[in-house]
Amino acid sequence: MASVSQTVRRVRVRPNYETIAWKWMRYSAFAMIPLVWGHMILQDVIVGVHRIDLDYVAMRWASLFWRVYDTLLLGFAFAHGVNGLRQVLNDFIHGERARKVMNWLLFLFWLIITLIGGTALIAGVNRAFPLS
Amino acid sequence: MSELKTTLAGYVTYRGREGHWSFLLHRITGLGVVLFLTIHIIDIAFVYFNPVLFMKAIEIYRSTLFGVGEIFLVFCVFYHGVNGLRIAYLDLFKPQGWHIESQRRSVRWTLVIALVLWLPSAFWMLRNLLIHNYGLFGG
């Protein structure tokens, strides 16, 4: 076998937004394997969408454990996802100004959706809502 | 516009074999998952903001079209997870492991592991779909 070339070079980079985002994508991966796979196998495979309704969500969120679990999911997965989207868009958007606008729009997108999800997680199932 | 074309053309015509394929798969699965995740956070938020709409969303999720989409979604999450672990482990703890030769093997193994994880889930979800939407297996 031909000898393989070494391509590793140690460099010192002062921490900045991009290095933190780079690390975030990788460290959050380890947390999300049990969180996301566990959630998906339980809800999509074992329980299944045909058995999920308001009562099911209410029963699940009656337990603090599952609310904390879902909060962790929301925090890890969505931030990982939006930053991933940012990485993809960076391939297509090159201008400095355009990237600045893109970063702000994505940040707002992340913040708004996270707040919407977080509100529901804290408030729970709304029984007062007029159900037909 | 030309930037878009250049980048997309590069995605398609670059001939990097396994590394190229896993890059594309990682992106496609990631984009698919984040698209669903956005919709999913909003539909779950409906349990508080508008429970009627929540049940409408659940009804749509129970359709056969979405059921099949859900099966592919599970593949996306498994593949993205296994491949993400490979990337995170190498980048953070073993950067000297980034060799083309060994990574060509790793990429193939990544796909095999993802498929092995996915197949039992896909089988069970398809079974659930056939039971509930087509009355098969005594549904």
Side-chain angles (χ1 to χ4, degrees):
Chain A
M1 194 185 142
S3 67
V4 279
S5 55
Q6 185 60 268
T7 53
V8 177
R9 179 170 62 101
R10 290 232 168 262
V11 285
R12 207 179 283 275
V13 180
R14 217 189 297 176
N16 56 45
Y17 177 78
E18 291 302 332
T19 62
I20 293 166
W22 187 91
K23 280 190 176 145
W24 163 256
M25 293 310 270
R26 282 148 186 83
Y27 281 112
S28 65
F30 295 108
M32 280 197 296
I33 292 297
L35 281 172
V36 175
W37 288 8
H39 175 74
M40 184 179 73
I41 291 169
L42 181 64
Q43 306 306 338
D44 294 76
V45 183
I46 295 172
V47 175
V49 73
H50 288 90
R51 284 198 281 172
I52 292 174
D53 54 17
L54 280 174
D55 289 335
Y56 178 81
V57 180
M59 181 197 77
R60 201 161 163 277
W61 281 358
S63 141
L64 182 66
F65 173 84
W66 288 115
R67 279 205 200 207
V68 171
Y69 190 104
D70 288 359
T71 306
L72 290 173
L73 267 178
L74 178 67
F76 276 105
F78 197 56
H80 182 102
V82 174
N83 193 51
L85 184 59
R86 196 179 66 90
Q87 285 178 233
V88 175
L89 288 175
N90 266 335
D91 269 9
F92 297 92
I93 295 170
H94 296 151
E96 203 173 317
R97 232 183 96 83
R99 274 193 182 166
K100 213 168 191 179
V101 173
M102 174 193 82
N103 282 342
W104 272 105
L105 288 178
L106 284 174
F107 172 73
L108 285 176
F109 172 66
W110 168 80
L111 186 69
I112 291 166
I113 301 286
T114 301
L115 285 178
I116 290 173
T119 306
L121 265 171
I122 292 166
V125 177
N126 187 356
R127 295 296 186 186
F129 194 87
L131 282 170
S132 50
Chain B
M1 248 356 248
S2 69
E3 273 179 5
L4 180 76
K5 251 184 173 164
T6 311
T7 309
L8 278 180
Y11 278 9
V12 178
T13 56
Y14 175 66
R15 288 184 290 181
R17 291 179 45 185
E18 284 86 343
H20 180 204
W21 306 333
S22 79
F23 165 81
L24 286 180
L25 256 182
H26 200 71
R27 290 220 148 168
I28 294 165
T29 55
L31 286 173
V33 172
V34 80
L35 172 67
F36 173 75
L37 180 59
T38 308
I39 299 168
H40 179 48
I41 293 169
I42 293 169
D43 72 56
I44 288 297
F46 281 156
V47 302
Y48 171 68
F49 291 104
N50 190 334
V52 177
L53 270 182
F54 172 74
M55 281 317 292
K56 282 235 170 76
I58 288 288
E59 232 168 81
I60 296 169
Y61 286 154
R62 286 175 182 171
S63 69
T64 302
L65 183 69
F66 268 77
V68 173
E70 195 188 8
I71 294 174
F72 283 106
L73 172 74
V74 169
F75 172 78
C76 288
V77 173
F78 275 134
Y79 180 82
H80 198 86
V82 179
N83 197 46
L85 272 186
R86 177 176 74 93
I87 295 168
Y89 169 70
L90 285 162
D91 271 353
L92 294 173
F93 305 115
K94 205 172 173 275
Q96 67 275 22
W98 279 120
H99 291 137
I100 287 182
E101 293 83 355
S102 66
Q103 285 315 306
R104 283 199 171 132
R105 263 197 315 278
S106 294
V107 164
R108 286 163 190 272
W109 274 110
T110 302
L111 187 60
V112 170
I113 293 167
L115 284 172
V116 166
L117 288 168
W118 175 61
L119 281 174
S121 301
F123 168 79
W124 200 252
M125 290 167 79
L126 188 64
R127 187 178 171 277
N128 275 341
L129 191 67
L130 292 174
I131 288 174
H132 290 283
N133 289 15
Y134 297 94
L136 295 177
F137 312 118

